[in-house]
Amino acid sequence: ESLFIKRYNTKHGNGGFIFTAMVSLFAMFFFLITDQNGYSFPEEMIPYAILSGILYSTASVLTFEALICGSYVMSMLILSYRLVFSIIYGLFFLHEPATIYTYLGLVIMLLSLYFTRGRREVSEKKASFKWLICITLSVFGGGMYGVMQRVQQIKFNNSCTNEYMVISMALSAISLF
């Protein structure tokens, strides 16, 4: 997805949120089509879905902006750290056990920054303050989006995940269009 966003931005310049909106729209259609249990939209679930839609669309816009003004390699590497939010949520709030693989994965993620620092593309496009703000907020928004998905799954016992995603992706598509 990010490769296509970068290519679209290179070809069409600014205003490429239409592409990102299309990604959200097609994701929404995917969840509409793949639902097998019939639709159920509990009122209590809707605020979670709305918050997730806001987090997803905001993170998408900020990712797009980060790819415009920063290095693709560093941006994508740092964006992959959104996963840390889910790991922390699982460890500290759900009290899931950490294994050696959990710690090994975290160490490898940190080492990846060290090993990427000397890449040619990274040195061609220096990190700007705008890039730093965009990438930081995108990681936070994307990470919290993942946490919200898990919170919703637990609270509603995985009974309305597709409905939740339909609302989130619809809101994201509308706001990005």
Side-chain angles (χ1 to χ4, degrees):
E1 177 184 342
S2 61
L3 179 63
F4 290 120
I5 291 170
K6 182 73 172 180
R7 290 181 113 193
Y8 184 90
N9 180 54
T10 302
K11 184 175 181 180
H12 299 286
N14 291 335
F17 297 127
I18 294 294
F19 182 85
T20 309
M22 293 300 289
V23 170
S24 295
L25 184 65
F26 282 104
M28 181 200 71
F29 286 136
F30 171 81
F31 288 106
L32 274 172
I33 293 168
T34 60
D35 186 74
Q36 297 177 352
N37 300 323
Y39 295 103
S40 170
F41 292 92
E43 281 184 38
E44 309 86 45
M45 181 266 302
I46 294 173
Y48 291 95
I50 290 171
L51 179 58
S52 288
I54 292 167
L55 288 168
Y56 186 84
S57 59
T58 302
S60 296
V61 168
L62 292 167
T63 297
F64 189 87
E65 287 297 320
L67 291 172
I68 289 171
C69 61
S71 162
Y72 178 79
V73 171
M74 285 303 290
S75 295
M76 294 316 300
L77 175 63
I78 292 170
L79 287 170
S80 69
Y81 292 158
R82 293 182 265 204
L83 178 64
V84 172
F85 284 79
S86 296
I87 293 170
I88 290 170
Y89 179 72
L91 291 174
F92 294 106
F93 295 98
L94 300 178
H95 306 291
E96 294 176 348
T99 66
I100 187 69
Y101 298 112
T102 306
Y103 297 114
L104 184 61
L106 290 172
V107 168
I108 289 171
M109 286 174 66
L110 291 174
L111 286 173
S112 65
L113 273 177
Y114 173 77
F115 290 125
T116 307
R117 69 178 164 70
R119 307 290 278 187
R120 188 171 54 96
E121 183 184 342
V122 173
S123 61
E124 287 176 5
K125 243 185 175 176
K126 298 291 183 192
S128 66
F129 184 70
K130 179 181 177 182
W131 174 82
L132 182 63
I133 296 297
C134 288
I135 204 75
T136 301
L137 292 175
S138 180
V139 167
F140 179 79
M144 290 309 296
Y145 171 75
V147 169
M148 287 301 300
Q149 280 182 303
R150 188 66 186 131
V151 166
Q152 179 274 143
Q153 289 170 343
I154 292 168
K155 184 162 178 73
F156 298 99
N157 199 26
N158 291 321
S159 65
C160 52
T161 300
N162 277 28
E163 294 87 342
Y164 170 84
M165 293 302 295
V166 166
I167 293 171
S168 292
M169 293 297 105
L171 180 61
S172 175
I174 289 167
S175 65
L176 291 169
F177 276 123

